[in-house]
Amino acid sequence: LYRDMKRLLILIMGVIFSLSLNAQIKNYYFPQEGKVYTYLSETRSPMGDESCIIKSSAKKDANGNIVFSNAIYNKDGKTLLEKNEVVYNVTANGYEADLKVIAKSMLDKFENCKIISSETYTMPLALALNQRFKDCTLKFTGSTQGMDFDITYTVSGMKSDKKMTKVKVGAGEYDALRLISAVEVDMGIQTVTMDMEEYFVEGIGPVKKSIDAMNGMAETTITLQSIE
């Protein structure tokens, strides 16, 4: 069970990365169009340390929507572990994607997966200081390693700070806008809670993310290392 919980937690972390790095090309949220951003992801927990390299890019499709792509490699950057792509529709409400589409990489790891309900994840067209965002929930059932799960995945309380924050990462030092939010994954037998901090830079995009799971049980930091 302990090993299975670690595996599930790692999957959830990957979904959170895809979930949060979305929004306006050439503004705050997405990597700049035509560029590849390289991130270092480091997770520390009593279950063991994990690290990997994430390469992210974004582009507009023929309909003007945003295609956000991630390629996840092992820590030496040579072995591809997973690829995913999410299309965010551009609407009057903002940049939108169904949460089950964002979470596809996690859902694919379950057998007999059945979606009960899935809400639209929305980010406004422009990110600003002192801003609140809509909560979003995904409910599904499935099994893995012989265990059945009835899962509710909720993103809530997302808001931006009232002032900018200095942040230093491998790619440089920036004045960033910080978003905070909480993710709760209710698996029936256990609930995993995660507090998130995300840092975005105008004209650059996402530069850092910190995830604290279960009050320090697992801590993940994702930092921008280079832009190519």
Side-chain angles (χ1 to χ4, degrees), residues 107 110-116 139-143 148-151:
L107 296 174
F110 287 89
E111 299 172 0
N112 306 313
C113 186
K114 180 181 179 182
I115 305 297
I116 305 302
K139 295 182 179 181
F140 66 96
T141 61
S143 60
D148 295 327
F149 291 97
D150 187 347
I151 297 179

Side-chain angles (χ1 to χ4, degrees), residues 156-196:
S156 63
M158 184 176 285
K159 63 181 180 180
S160 57
D161 280 348
K162 295 181 180 180
K163 60 181 182 180
M164 304 296 282
T165 301
K166 289 280 188 184
V167 60
K168 187 175 183 179
V169 295
E173 187 171 354
Y174 304 98
D175 287 318
L177 196 159
R178 186 184 73 146
L179 292 182
I180 61 171
S181 60
V183 171
E184 181 179 279
V185 185
D186 183 350
M187 297 179 286
I189 60 172
Q190 183 175 356
T191 298
V192 176
T193 57
M194 284 165 278
D195 295 318
M196 297 193 297

Side-chain angles (χ1 to χ4, degrees), residues 63-165:
N63 297 317
N65 297 318
I66 308 300
V67 182
F68 174 54
S69 302
N70 285 315
I72 304 174
Y73 296 84
N74 67 345
K75 61 184 178 182
D76 65 10
K78 295 180 180 178
T79 303
L80 180 64
L81 304 176
E82 182 180 328
K83 293 182 71 174
N84 60 68
E85 184 176 277
V86 178
V87 177
Y88 291 90
N89 298 316
V90 182
T91 74
N93 295 324
Y95 298 86
E96 298 184 336
D98 195 308
L99 194 51
K100 68 176 180 287
V101 176
I102 298 174
K104 185 178 184 301
S105 61
M106 178 178 68
L107 296 174
D108 286 347
K109 302 300 188 297
F110 287 89
E111 299 172 0
N112 306 313
C113 186
K114 180 181 179 182
I115 305 297
I116 305 302
S117 63
S118 181
E119 296 180 338
T120 299
Y121 182 77
T122 304
M123 292 290 280
L125 295 177
L127 179 61
L129 293 169
N130 198 24
Q131 197 172 25
R132 269 305 281 267
F133 307 102
K134 178 185 173 184
D135 296 348
C136 189
T137 298
L138 167 67
K139 295 182 179 181
F140 66 96
T141 61
S143 60
T144 182
Q145 300 293 317
M147 299 179 62
D148 295 327
F149 291 97
D150 187 347
I151 297 179
T152 300
Y153 184 106
T154 303
V155 182
S156 63
M158 184 176 285
K159 63 181 180 180
S160 57
D161 280 348
K162 295 181 180 180
K163 60 181 182 180
M164 304 296 282
T165 301

